[in-house]
Structure formats: C-alpha cells, structure tokens
Amino acid sequence: MCGIIGINSNKSVSASIINSLKKLEYRGYDSAGIATLSSGQINEVKSEGRVDNLEKNSLVQNMEGTIGIGHVRWATHGSPNSLNAHPHSSQNVSVVHNGIIENSTLLKKFLVGKGHKFKSQTDTEVIVHLITEHLKTDDIVNSIKKTLKSLHGSFALGIIFKDQPDLIVGARRGSPLAVGYGPNENYLGSDSYALKSMTNKITYLNDGEFCVIKKDHVEFFSDDGVKINKKVLELSSQEEEYDKGDYKHFMAKEIEEQPLTLKNGIKEYIDNSNNDINIYNFPWKISEISSITLIGCGTAYHSCLMAKYWFEELTSLDVNVDIASEFRYRKNRFKRDSLYIFVSQSGETADTYAALDICKKNGMKTCAVVNVIESSIARDSEFVLPIHCGTEIGVASTKAFLGQILILYILSLKLALLRKDLKKDVFTQKLNDLKKLPKLVDQTLSIDNKIQTISNTFNEAKGSMFLGRGFSYPIALEGALKLKELSYIHAEGYPAGEMKHGPLALIEEGMPVVVLAPRDNYYKKTISNMQEVIARGAKVLLVTNKSKDEIVSENIWETLEVETTNADLLPFLLTIPLQKLAYYSALKKGFDIDKPRNLAKSVTVE
Ligand code: F6R
C-alpha cells in the first residue's frame, strides 16, 4: 500500500528518494512520484506504474534539490494514473499522503468556494489546499495544527513548502510514520525498512503527533501543537540482503524457505534440554486467562481460524476468532479474562491495529503475533510473539502464514500444558513431532512437476472450489485466497460438509475442486463429501497424506500426497501444494506474481 519517503539533506536527494521508494515497492502500488525544492521552486514528477518508470524520466534524472518527498501510491480515490499520483502541489506546498480523508468532499466544496482549483480526483489534494489557505494567516506549525484538526479519517503525511528550504513536516493519524536520523540529514519514511539503507536510528510517531524535520534536528508536536520529546530507537544496523537468488520470484523463494521459517521458530521457542516451550516474560498468570480471541485480516485471519481448531482441541479455553474489520465496529462484550491475540505479518494492517486499539482502550490483555517487530501492532501490544520468518517480499503471504500458525500452535501447546489440559507425555510426543516438521515440509516441497500440469486445468476453468473439514477447513480458505489473489481465478473455500446446503449448485461438469482429506478424524466424512461433488461432474484434486491404506473412491481426477505426521501438524503440509498451485497458475498466465493486482503488502487504510 502507499509509501512515503522524505529527505532533508545538504546534498542532492532525488537519487536517494528513488532508492528508498524501491524499498517500499514490496507494499504494492500502482504509481509513483517525487517532489524536490530547488531555487525556491517545487519540482514535481509523477508516473503511472513502477518506480522504474519514474527513475527513467529525464526530469527525475536531472532533478536538483537537497530536500524532497517521494511516494508510491495504491489508488483509493481516483484511478491509478499519473495525475492522481502523489505528490500533490499548490504554488506553496507539496504533499504526499497515505490513508483516506473521509470528509474530503465537504472540504473540497469549502475550498472551491474560496477559489482553490483542484487538478486530481484524489482526497489528498484537499490537504494541499487547506495548508495553503491557512498559511495566508498562520505560521507553519499553526497551519499544520489547524489542517490536521479539520481532517477526518486516517493519514500519514510528508509536506514540503516553497519558502522553507530546510523543513519537512511529517504527521500521523492511523497510518504509520517514522523519522530517521543521519549525519547532517534527517528522514521521514512510512516504515523503518525504507530508511534502513540510510540509518538505523528511528523515532516512531504516535497517533495524532506531527514533526518538523530540519537537516540538523527534529522537533515533535502533540496534536494541539505542544512540543514533546520522543525517544530515538536504535534498530539492528544489519541490512538484510533481499535478492531472489536463482528463483524467478520472491514468492517461489519464500515458499522454499518455509522449512527454515519453521526451524527458526522451533529454535526460538522450544527448549530441547527440558523438552519444554519457553515463552519468556509472559505478562499474565495462567489463571487470569480463560478465553482467547484471535483477530486478523486475510491470510492472518486464516491463521487465527487454524489456531481456533488447535486451541479447542488441546486446551479447555473458550476460543473466538474475528475478522478485524468486523470486530472494530461491532458491539463487543469485552471479557476481563480473555487474551486478545492480534495476528499480522506487517504489523501495520489498519483494521487489525484499530481492533488492538479498541481492546487496549477497554483494558484488555493484548498479544501480537507479528513478523515485523518494529511495527505499530508489535509496539502497542502488551506482549509480542515474533514469527521470525525474515522479510516477506512477495505480496501474497506464504512463509509468514506458516510462521504464524507455528507460533499459534506452540502457544496452544504451552497453554494446554500449563493449564494441565495436556499430560506431559502427550505434550512431549507432540513436541517431538513438531521438531520433525521442517524436514517433512522440505520433502513435501518436491511435489512440483505434477502441480505444474494440474494448474493448466485451473487456468482454463471459470471457477474452482477448495473444500476441507476440521483442521483442513482454514487451509482450504487459504488455498482459495492464494489462487484468487495470484491467478485472478474465482476460487471459493468452503467447509466440505456445508456443500449440500447450497453451494453444490455451483458444481458443473469439469469444474476443478480441491478436496483436502488428510487421514485424520474427518477423513471418511470428507471423502463422502468428495463423492457428492464428483457425482455432479467436478474434477477433483484430492490432497491427502501418504498412508498404507488405499484411497477407496472412484473417479478422482488427480491425487497429491503430502508427507505424514500427527493430525495436528498436517495443516502445515497441506498448505504447500496449494501455495504451489497458485504460484504455477499465475506463472503460466504470465501475471506479476510478486505484485499481484489490487493487493498491498501493508494495508494501512481500512
Ligand atoms: C494474502 C495477504 C493478505 C494479508 C492481509 C493481512 O496473501 O497477504 O490477505 O494476509 O492483508 O496482512 P497482515 O498479515 O500484514 O496484517
């Protein structure tokens, strides 16, 4: 989703801004732009599509200026073209914006009445004209303060001013924003990753705060314009190397990295010498928790749903799962004895953050399961369980999903042991099985060739279904999501037992249907549901695990067998062929696998 960069330096900034915008590309975007200040003029260049297009523009190559802002845009208001790309500028001010201004129509009406002329279809342009209007009577801090007060919605802003050769303003409400410190230069960025090539000294703005960035110092203000002091954090200075190596896409690399993701998670949390799970500094007594509420969006929501099955199977805890965008507006009954767990790869998802915020305001216990440990959700949760899968660049989540479900499984085991819901010997057996999981995932990764051929049928179909029961149901949802977001094929995830209550009507002759039927307690039931779709002409791809027992069924189109382990862990293995199916169908269709259309890596608007 949109990304912001700002640099105030004593040397030319355009190349560094372009470089930092490239670091923000992973978030998903459709246009890019840059504005610098030179000889008292704001110069603005924007282009549709990739940052590469912007970089190749001769105006950018010759762009002067020691202060500037840049942006990658993920369209919300107005189509993704160069006119709507940011920055947006008036004679005096240039603005980049992440988020959505909900009252932009009203504000625009007011500003047009005052004689302001609008060039784009964006909500952002009202900010430019509001600041310009206030600057007629107020200084910069007051103009910003007044502008921010009249905006409804969410924003992270970077602003430069024609008459201010040493000043960038940053402001935040809802969308994340960080300030970075360098030698004789300072920076603004929507995440620390974008700034990492320049600095590891970072300050995060809290909601409502704004800042004034000069070359040699930065001042911070609360929303009422009062100066405040903020901490400078020193992040790890190592810049991880992100290249695809021999892989065609980051997604392919990230799928193959999953055994390592699991090894890292297991190493972090499992104490081999004591056959135990270490979760250090857990801030609550076990007796204080009698229910769990898991909240997330998209793939992270599927992780939550997966965890519900484990928590219910292994513990006596009461478990609820919620989609963050639903949770945040419902009339929730907050429970003192509930632990609220927020699952997010990026740690910046606006809806998940809002749900966390509501829980905090209601005095609830909050725990984050995140990949990006410097993220807003991690910083603002009482307790954090990192998933340690390394940066995930492919916009469609793969290794982060396995990382999330691993941590949630580990947590369910530990709580089950502490609550005495699980006997120590059963716990030990489950830990031993878990330690073998990375190898089994590694072996399962080799079922490539067959999936490549199978993907042709999906690509030719009008639509497809993914069915599963019990532990396999969340994986069916995740498999369908991966296929639709990467290959743009209609894919519906469904509980297999629910088909006869309506969706069987969708089954047509030759329709590909993935049936997840591992040899667990649900196996026989799922196989019966499979017969129902086969009888109606579906081409069934059965995904099961290796077993001595023959599959007793006729007319199955194709079968894929993953490795074998205990029933709890089969979901990890079943995920692999579904990720590969989505990857190969998108590959054959020639789609942009690492940056699928209309999907952002960090969804910072609601
Ligand atoms: C799917 C995908 C999205 C994200 C969702 C939540 O492949 O990537 O559905 O899972 O936007 O993002 P995070 O986990 O960053 O909160």
Side-chain angles (χ1 to χ4, degrees):
M1 199 145 274
C2 305
I4 286 178
I5 191 80
I7 305 180
N8 186 358
S9 175
N10 50 21
K11 40 185 207 279
S12 173
V13 290
S14 56
S16 307
I17 290 178
I18 295 286
N19 203 21
S20 299
L21 287 181
K22 286 185 180 166
K23 305 244 163 190
L24 288 168
E25 284 191 297
Y26 78 97
R27 296 163 75 101
Y29 70 104
D30 40 53
S31 55
I34 177 170
T36 60
L37 201 64
S38 84
S39 316
Q41 290 302 321
I42 293 171
N43 313 303
E44 183 194 275
V45 188
K46 314 196 271 195
S47 70
E48 207 175 311
R50 301 280 178 239
V51 175
D52 274 352
N53 298 349
L54 184 69
E55 188 177 25
K56 282 183 203 135
N57 189 317
S58 58
L59 292 173
V60 171
Q61 284 169 4
N62 299 316
M63 205 166 192
E64 290 179 356
T66 59
I67 179 166
I69 48 180
H71 191 261
V72 282
R73 172 176 188 252
W74 192 86
T76 54
H77 286 58
S79 43
N81 55 31
S82 58
L83 188 70
N84 290 329
H86 302 204
H88 291 281
S89 311
S90 68
Q91 282 275 313
N92 309 331
V93 182
S94 187
V95 175
V96 285
H97 166 218
N98 295 352
I100 294 178
I101 305 304
E102 288 165 357
N103 57 340
S104 61
T105 312
L106 272 180
L107 291 171
K108 188 168 173 180
K109 212 168 166 190
F110 161 77
L111 289 158
V112 168
K114 291 239 167 221
H116 290 263
K117 298 231 166 358
F118 283 74
K119 292 179 268 190
S120 74
Q121 303 155 312
T122 65
D123 52 341
T124 304
E125 216 182 333
V126 298
I127 307 173
V128 177
H129 292 287
L130 270 179
I131 300 172
T132 309
E133 185 62 26
H134 287 305
L135 280 173
K136 289 180 186 165
T137 49
D138 286 292
D139 63 7
I140 288 188
V141 168
N142 277 316
S143 300
I144 295 296
K145 195 180 89 182
K146 287 184 180 170
T147 300
L148 300 186
K149 281 235 160 10
S150 50
L151 301 178
H152 297 174
S154 64
F155 52 79
L157 300 171
I159 310 162
I160 54 172
F161 303 82
K162 176 174 174 273
D163 302 328
Q164 299 291 332
D166 181 22
L167 189 148
I168 300 179
V169 166
R172 167 189 176 172
R173 190 196 296 156
S175 302
L177 200 59
V179 166
Y181 307 86
N184 304 318
E185 54 183 32
N186 291 314
Y187 322 101
L188 187 68
S190 28
D191 62 33
S192 58
Y193 175 56
L195 302 179
K196 235 174 177 177
S197 60
M198 302 183 284
T199 184
N200 65 333
K201 293 194 176 60
I202 300 285
T203 297
Y204 292 104
L205 268 77
N206 288 335
D207 251 12
E209 292 173 354
F210 66 97
C211 64
V212 170
I213 300 172
K214 305 218 168 167
K215 286 180 191 55
D216 58 356
H217 74 284
V218 182
E219 287 175 337
F220 293 92
F221 299 87
S222 65
D223 54 356
D224 42 14
V226 176
K227 262 196 205 174
I228 49 172
N229 292 322
K230 303 266 307 168
K231 271 196 205 141
V232 179
L233 309 173
E234 201 144 328
L235 308 181
S236 136
S237 54
Q238 284 167 348
E239 225 200 322
E240 281 177 62
E241 255 324 300
Y242 306 107
D243 70 59
K244 294 196 278 269
D246 292 336
Y247 293 95
K248 269 199 179 141
H249 301 98
F250 278 106
M251 183 184 175
K253 181 169 182 255
E254 286 158 4
I255 289 174
E256 298 296 321
E257 274 171 6
Q258 293 179 112
L260 186 66
T261 300
L262 298 179
K263 267 190 208 151
N264 287 346
I266 289 170
K267 199 164 113 207
E268 181 70 17
Y269 293 99
I270 293 186
D271 174 354
N272 275 324
S273 42
N274 296 314
N275 258 328
D276 201 355
I277 289 170
N278 286 334
I279 295 181
Y280 294 112
N281 303 322
F282 193 69
W284 308 284
K285 289 197 198 110
I286 290 306
S287 58
E288 288 171 357
I289 300 170
S290 64
S291 75
I292 303 263
T293 301
L294 296 128
I295 298 169
C297 300
T299 288
Y301 166 71
H302 297 155
S303 302
C304 295
L305 203 56
M306 188 65 247
K308 178 178 167 76
Y309 282 86
W310 284 324
F311 275 109
E312 286 182 346
E313 180 75 19
L314 302 171
T315 76
S316 52
L317 289 160
D318 189 13
V319 191
N320 299 298
V321 177
D322 236 309
I323 291 180
S325 55
E326 288 298 314
F327 178 89
R328 65 182 291 189
Y329 292 115
R330 267 213 328 273
K331 199 169 158 196
N332 292 294
R333 307 283 180 275
F334 288 101
K335 297 185 235 155
R336 292 252 147 250
D337 59 352
S338 193
L339 172 62
Y340 288 80
I341 302 180
F342 301 87
V343 182
S344 174
Q345 187 288 129
S346 63
E348 299 295 355
T349 300
D351 286 319
T352 312
Y353 184 83
L356 163 67
D357 196 45
I358 293 165
C359 289
K360 278 176 57 182
K361 286 185 176 136
N362 282 280
M364 296 297 108
K365 304 175 184 68
T366 58
C367 169
V369 173
V370 289
N371 192 29
V372 182
I373 49 171
E374 300 104 14
S375 62
S376 307
I377 292 174
R379 290 200 310 277
D380 292 346
S381 297
E382 257 173 285
F383 187 59
V384 183
L385 291 167
I387 64 175
H388 295 299
C389 75
T391 303
E392 189 179 61
I393 299 284
V395 169
S397 201
T398 52
K399 63 176 181 175
F401 175 67
L402 243 59
Q404 288 161 358
I405 62 173
L406 173 74
I407 303 312
L408 292 166
Y409 181 64
I410 288 176
L411 184 65
S412 66
L413 277 181
K414 181 69 181 179
L415 293 187
L417 183 73
L418 292 175
R419 292 170 58 83
K420 303 196 172 38
D421 291 329
L422 210 58
K423 293 208 179 84
K424 181 73 188 183
D425 57 334
V426 180
F427 172 85
T428 307
Q429 181 53 49
K430 286 187 184 289
L431 270 198
N432 287 338
D433 289 345
L434 186 57
K435 287 185 221 162
K436 292 181 199 137
L437 185 63
K439 189 151 179 239
L440 298 178
V441 168
D442 200 25
Q443 287 163 352
T444 302
L445 281 165
S446 65
I447 44 175
D448 246 52
N449 293 343
K450 212 170 171 187
I451 300 180
Q452 295 198 34
T453 322
I454 287 170
S455 68
N456 292 332
T457 298
F458 283 81
N459 284 356
E460 284 153 15
K462 239 177 24 196
S464 60
M465 296 202 82
F466 287 66
L467 310 180
R469 291 183 86 123
F471 290 178
S472 303
Y473 165 52
I475 305 302
L477 291 181
E478 176 58 8
L481 178 61
K482 285 285 97 85
L483 190 69
K484 66 184 113 173
E485 68 193 357
L486 286 159
S487 326
Y488 320 147
I489 296 169
H490 183 78
E492 194 84 58
Y494 238 86
E498 188 62 13
M499 287 299 282
K500 60 178 87 61
H501 299 289
L504 271 180
L506 293 173
I507 305 293
E508 286 176 4
E509 196 62 39
M511 180 188 197
V513 174
V514 179
V515 176
L516 302 178
R519 321 301 176 110
D520 59 12
N521 289 343
Y522 304 89
Y523 177 67
K524 286 193 181 140
K525 300 277 172 209
T526 315
I527 292 293
S528 302
N529 299 138
M530 181 178 78
Q531 301 300 346
E532 291 161 6
V533 291
I534 291 177
R536 283 156 183 86
K539 265 181 131 173
V540 163
L541 165 61
L542 170 67
V543 185
T544 185
N545 56 319
K546 289 182 180 163
S547 164
K548 292 191 295 301
D549 303 331
E550 222 183 301
I551 300 159
V552 199
S553 176
E554 283 178 358
N555 300 326
I556 297 171
W557 166 53
E558 283 289 0
T559 302
L560 289 172
E561 287 181 329
V562 303
E563 297 300 315
T564 293
T565 175
N566 81 45
D568 295 357
L569 301 179
L570 286 169
F572 289 89
L573 302 175
L574 296 177
T575 304
I576 305 295
L578 305 192
Q579 293 172 337
K580 292 208 167 206
L581 176 64
Y583 176 79
Y584 285 119
S585 32
L587 186 71
K588 293 208 174 132
K589 287 188 151 193
F591 292 156
D592 192 346
I593 292 185
D594 285 333
K595 297 183 192 105
R597 74 181 179 205
N598 300 335
L599 178 64
K601 191 72 192 154
S602 188
V603 184
T604 48
V605 294
E606 70 169 290

